[in-house]
Amino acid sequence: MGWVRRNLEMIVLILSGVLLAAGGIAWWVSAADTARWLWIADTLLGLVFALAATLQAARQHRPTVDIIAVLALAGALAVDEPLAGAIITLMLATGQVLEAMADARARRELSLLTARAPRTATRVTADGLVEIAVADVVIGDRLLVRPGEVVPVDGRLAQDSTFDESALTGEPVPVERPAGEDVRSGVVNVAGPAEILTTTTAETSTYAALVRLVEAAQATSAPFVRTADRWAIAFVPLTLVLAGVAWAVSADPVRAVAVLVVATPCPLLLAAPIAIVSGLSRAARLGVVVKGGGALEQLARGKVVIVDKTGTLTRGRPELADVITAPGYDADVALRLAASVDQLSAHVLAGPIVEAARARGLDLAMPADVIETHGQGVEGVVDGRRIRVGRYTWIAGPSPERWIRRVRRRADLDGSASSLVEVDDVVVAALLLRDPIRPDAPRMVRALRAAGVTRVVLATGDRADVGTAVGRIVGVDQVLADCTPEDKLTALGREAAHGATIMVGDGINDAPALAAADVGVALAARGATASSEAADVVLTVDRIDALADAMAVAKRSRRIALQAVGVGMGLSLLAMIAAAWGLLAPTVGAALQEVIDLLAIAIALRAVLPGRLHSVALSEEDRATLASLHEEHESVAPLVERLATVADALDAHEPDLADAVALVDALENDLLPHERADEERLVPLVARARGTDEAVAALSRTHAEIEHQVGRLRRLLDGIDGDPEPDDIVELRRMLYGLYGVLRLHNAQEDEDAFSLMPARG
């Protein structure tokens, strides 16, 4: 029976088609009575089906056009027009099947959340460790949380430890918590064994509250009201009045039935769902899975976008930003040694360090005697030298050197994570890592505004200065920092006053807001999460700007659906007037209605054709050119950070220009040829892709400025005769910092305007 209920619409459609065709064959072979009874059976099938749909709508207190189908089918039987009734049944069943396809929504489950929740806890007792059910934890229990385990209930730490809190905050970098500080359930212990004193039970803990938030938000989500139901408010009374007038004036019930037959609103039941299904198909080709017609229409209506930061506007994973070395030490050597040891570390920062070393073409060695201190760092022997890579406090100690303090200050200002590299008990380098902004994020925000979004809000669990910096770069209207899942729900409620809301996120902590928003959009290119289960729209490509394309598809599909409905219902209205005047018999009216349906469907099918999108298509040759230039772009990136490192090391009292001379040589031999290649090959490519030379004016201007500044540096160094004066060092430092700023901005422009055109990697 369950299978029958799930496939009822398709069963009715098949039976209706078989009965109508069988009746046609019987009529063709002169078995008129058999044909009549087959069509009567078909009409009765449609009547039962339509009546059930009408009663269900009545129970839900919503208007429906199905009442017209009920009256038309009953009228066809009453005036002995079974063929007209059979045709109506086929139209009705077809519309129901297409509507079911259009409104089919992926089941929202909490499987990931519930599977991740711990079932047991380890209680510390006088007699040792005891495994208990999480439900049996009481306030005041001492619990042991082993490395890699999820904290089962909220508690207070007995010793320092480090936790991955991304499930609650969305932030990827582990957080160090000192003894005595509260720790929330749902976070993962990434250090050594940690002991906590419980302050809540499992039922009242943070993670349980997060699960309840998702459940409550899903339960209160308003159902999608299809276009047909809204039009029915005016269409149903109009049809009944016209049919009643036709019957009263002519005293012929057949005219009333004819009016009802041509009024059967198949343009609503067929054309609109087809346009929506076509839009769903078109969005899927762009890497956007929209879970049903309701979500597509709501996406088209979106006016306010609330977007998470980490993993959404940023990559969601730290990347090596800079290698700062002690005076006289080579950056590549330091990075190679650190990455060699990190090959055997599971720490969240180890992977990006290894990837950066390999991207620079460094030959990594396999370390020996590797020991990892959870939450602190890793050490091992590489090429006979003892290497340690890890936290600032673990390696530098209480009295670090001046250059290390400067690195720490810079990391704090930039919101970067840092790892120090120690070789044979000497700190030789600092590795700065940050979560970079997606190059397509600013274009996505601009494209959303062009698509009709009036307000964009950034809601992040990160601190205010980091969130504000990201928000300013991508161009949002407001930044909400230090947000919990509850704060995001509150923001959604507040922003709903400005229009339909769209929530964009990628973490478990975003699931409640994704479920509560009018449209939840999840990024799932890096794997399925609870966010994708709670969302209405899932981006399967690792490009946030695909959301703007999906919104354009949604608006176009909705517009075409309304056009199809308008044309179809307009022609139906004319046919109703003709039927009221007695110009159409019920069977002829049913056939005419089929013609109107076909026209409406043809209009609706336009939605499957490509429309105008903000993204651009590149030829294979252009893609290859972009990939080649991007590889060069990445290879010269260390030169940019080297500018700041060399400038930092310049000392007016003990001037040494050797590093500065070597740097300018590298700029002339490596950087400038790349910038010239960009001007010759990249600029014309971007201009073609964007359709205007204005799109690349800024790139060309900065190419010229970079060459000008490198030339000035060379002239300054050539002009220093003998020992440099302090003023020479000051000027040199100023020019290096200036060029550093220009190149940082220029590289960001190239990432956004040019290299964001590349297909998503990974």
Side-chain angles (χ1 to χ4, degrees):
M1 289 299 293
W3 180 88
V4 172
R5 283 195 297 270
R6 288 194 302 271
N7 298 276
L8 181 60
E9 293 89 353
M10 184 60 70
I11 292 171
V12 173
L13 176 61
I14 294 171
L15 283 177
S16 172
V18 169
L19 290 171
L20 181 60
I25 294 171
W27 180 83
W28 183 261
V29 298
S30 301
D33 288 343
T34 302
R36 178 173 175 272
W37 283 110
L38 286 169
W39 290 334
I40 288 175
D42 201 351
T43 304
L44 288 171
L45 174 67
L47 182 60
V48 171
F49 191 55
L51 187 59
T54 302
L55 292 175
Q56 181 180 4
R59 285 195 298 270
Q60 296 174 354
H61 304 289
R62 62 178 175 86
T64 177
V65 293
D66 292 326
I67 186 64
I68 300 177
V70 170
L71 295 175
L73 289 164
L77 289 175
V79 299
D80 197 23
E81 292 281 355
L83 176 57
I87 295 173
I88 294 171
T89 299
L90 182 64
M91 292 189 297
L92 181 66
T94 304
Q96 291 289 345
V97 167
L98 289 173
E99 183 181 20
M101 291 172 58
D103 291 334
R105 299 170 67 90
R107 184 181 179 188
R108 294 176 175 180
E109 299 176 352
L110 301 176
S111 57
L112 183 68
L113 284 171
T114 55
R116 188 178 180 279
R119 301 289 188 272
T120 62
T122 304
R123 178 184 286 161
V124 180
T125 68
D127 298 326
L129 303 178
V130 179
E131 292 288 320
I132 62 172
V134 171
D136 294 334
V137 173
V138 297
I139 296 176
D141 272 346
R142 291 170 57 205
L143 300 181
L144 180 70
V145 183
R146 298 181 178 88
E149 289 185 344
V150 177
V151 175
V153 298
D154 298 353
R156 187 169 297 113
L157 279 171
Q159 69 276 326
D160 296 352
S161 193
T162 305
F163 298 93
D164 174 2
E165 301 187 352
S166 59
L168 300 180
T169 68
E171 301 309 317
V173 178
V175 177
E176 185 176 1
R177 298 291 180 189
E181 187 164 322
D182 289 339
V183 60
R184 295 177 290 175
S185 60
V187 304
V188 179
N189 180 16
V190 295
E195 187 176 316
I196 65 171
L197 180 70
T198 61
T199 55
T200 67
T201 63
E203 181 65 23
T204 58
S205 67
T206 299
Y207 200 63
L210 178 60
V211 174
R212 286 194 299 273
L213 279 172
V214 176
E215 292 172 334
Q218 288 175 334
T220 57
S221 293
F224 171 61
V225 181
R226 60 188 175 93
T227 302
D229 290 339
R230 293 197 296 270
W231 283 51
I233 297 174
F235 190 75
V236 171
L238 175 63
T239 300
L240 296 179
V241 169
L242 190 57
V245 170
W247 190 352
V249 172
S250 66
D252 184 2
V254 175
R255 288 196 184 187
V257 172
V259 171
L260 294 173
V261 166
V262 295
T264 303
C266 286
L268 291 174
L269 299 174
L270 293 174
I274 286 175
I276 298 301
V277 169
S278 298
L280 298 177
S281 174
R282 183 64 190 157
R285 294 178 193 173
L286 300 172
V288 182
V289 177
V290 184
K291 298 180 180 179
L296 192 76
E297 177 163 343
Q298 290 286 60
L299 187 61
R301 294 175 52 246
K303 292 296 181 184
V304 180
V305 174
I306 300 177
V307 60
D308 181 45
K309 178 181 73 69
T310 303
T312 305
L313 294 181
T314 65
R315 292 286 189 190
R317 187 171 184 268
E319 293 183 6
L320 183 67
D322 194 7
V323 180
I324 302 175
T325 61
Y329 208 88
D330 185 82
D332 282 352
V333 172
L335 178 58
R336 173 184 174 273
L337 294 173
S340 295
V341 174
D342 270 337
Q343 289 178 103
L344 301 184
S345 171
H347 194 273
V348 66
L349 299 183
I353 291 172
V354 174
E355 289 176 9
R358 288 175 174 162
R360 294 191 185 189
L362 303 181
D363 185 18
L364 304 187
M366 186 55 61
D369 301 329
V370 175
I371 301 173
E372 182 159 9
T373 304
H374 290 290
Q376 299 298 328
V378 62
E379 59 184 301
V381 176
V382 179
D383 299 336
R385 288 175 285 183
R386 169 62 58 177
I387 311 300
R388 291 205 306 162
V389 182
R391 297 181 63 85
Y392 175 90
T393 53
W394 187 56
I395 290 181
S399 301
E401 297 178 49
R402 179 183 174 187
W403 75 270
I404 299 177
R405 294 197 302 272
R406 188 169 62 240
V407 168
R408 181 60 179 260
R409 184 170 61 252
R410 177 175 168 184
D412 289 341
L413 290 173
D414 291 344
S416 303
S418 61
S419 288
L420 295 184
V421 183
E422 182 185 88
V423 179
D424 292 332
D425 300 322
V426 177
V427 182
V428 300
L431 309 178
L432 299 186
L433 300 99
R434 67 174 68 97
D435 186 12
I437 297 173
R438 289 176 179 265
D440 56 332
R443 289 200 300 116
M444 182 270 293
V445 171
R446 292 195 297 269
L448 286 176
R449 296 192 192 280
V453 170
T454 58
R455 186 167 167 79
V456 181
V457 177
L458 170 59
T460 176
D462 211 340
R463 63 182 200 250
D465 57 336
V466 176
T468 299
V470 173
R472 185 179 298 115
I473 290 171
V474 301
V476 302
D477 297 296
Q478 184 179 3
V479 175
L480 304 175
D482 299 311
C483 283
T484 64
E486 293 91 340
D487 294 333
K488 292 181 181 180
L489 284 177
T490 301
L492 273 170
R494 185 171 58 248
E495 296 297 334
H498 298 96
T501 55
I502 300 173
M503 175 68 200
V504 188
D506 80 323
I508 294 176
N509 62 300
D510 297 319
L514 290 171
D518 293 317
V519 182
V521 180
L523 279 73
R526 298 174 187 249
T529 65
S531 62
S532 60
E533 295 184 30
D536 304 290
V537 178
V538 179
L539 305 186
T540 60
V541 293
D542 196 19
R543 296 182 62 94
I544 185 64
D545 63 344
L547 174 59
D549 285 340
M551 197 165 184
V553 168
K555 284 182 172 293
R556 181 171 180 268
S557 299
R558 184 171 182 267
R559 184 172 62 251
I560 290 174
L562 291 174
Q563 289 171 355
V565 167
V567 170
M569 296 313 298
L571 293 175
S572 292
L573 183 60
L574 293 176
M576 288 164 57
I577 295 172
W581 280 97
L583 301 177
L584 291 176
T587 300
V588 175
L592 178 61
Q593 184 64 45
E594 287 283 15
V595 174
I596 295 173
D597 293 343
L598 290 174
L599 177 60
I601 290 170
I603 295 173
L605 284 173
R606 292 164 46 229
V608 81
L609 300 175
R612 182 180 178 86
L613 302 175
H614 94 281
S615 58
V616 296
L618 298 175
S619 66
E620 288 299 323
E621 181 182 355
D622 283 347
R623 290 188 182 200
T625 299
L626 267 182
S628 173
L629 291 174
H630 185 265
E631 187 175 347
E632 292 180 16
H633 177 81
E634 293 292 303
S635 68
V636 299
L639 274 176
V640 178
E641 298 304 329
R642 190 172 157 191
L643 282 163
T645 303
V646 171
D648 288 344
L650 286 173
D651 190 335
H653 300 291
E654 299 180 10
D656 183 357
L657 301 183
D659 286 345
V661 171
L663 173 60
V664 174
D665 289 342
L667 292 174
E668 290 177 334
N669 296 329
D670 298 328
L671 178 69
L672 290 186
H674 168 68
E675 299 301 335
R676 291 165 186 154
D678 279 351
E679 183 64 26
E680 293 172 6
R681 301 163 63 196
L682 185 67
V683 168
L685 187 157
V686 176
R688 287 196 305 273
R690 302 287 186 208
T692 173
D693 290 337
E694 292 299 319
V696 293
L699 290 180
S700 291
R701 178 65 184 87
T702 49
H703 286 151
E705 183 64 22
I706 290 166
E707 186 141 7
H708 173 62
Q709 293 298 331
V710 172
R712 290 184 67 213
L713 278 170
R714 171 58 69 190
R715 290 194 297 275
L716 175 62
L717 289 173
D718 289 345
I720 296 176
D721 187 18
D723 293 332
E725 297 292 330
D727 288 347
D728 295 328
I729 300 301
V730 171
E731 179 65 14
L732 178 59
R733 186 186 294 120
R734 185 187 67 81
M735 291 174 62
L736 288 172
Y737 284 136
L739 181 57
Y740 173 72
V742 171
L743 282 168
R744 284 286 301 269
L745 177 60
H746 175 62
N747 287 348
Q749 287 176 322
E750 285 193 338
D751 282 339
E752 178 183 339
D753 295 335
F755 297 122
S756 66
L757 299 175
M758 297 173 62
R761 293 164 291 164

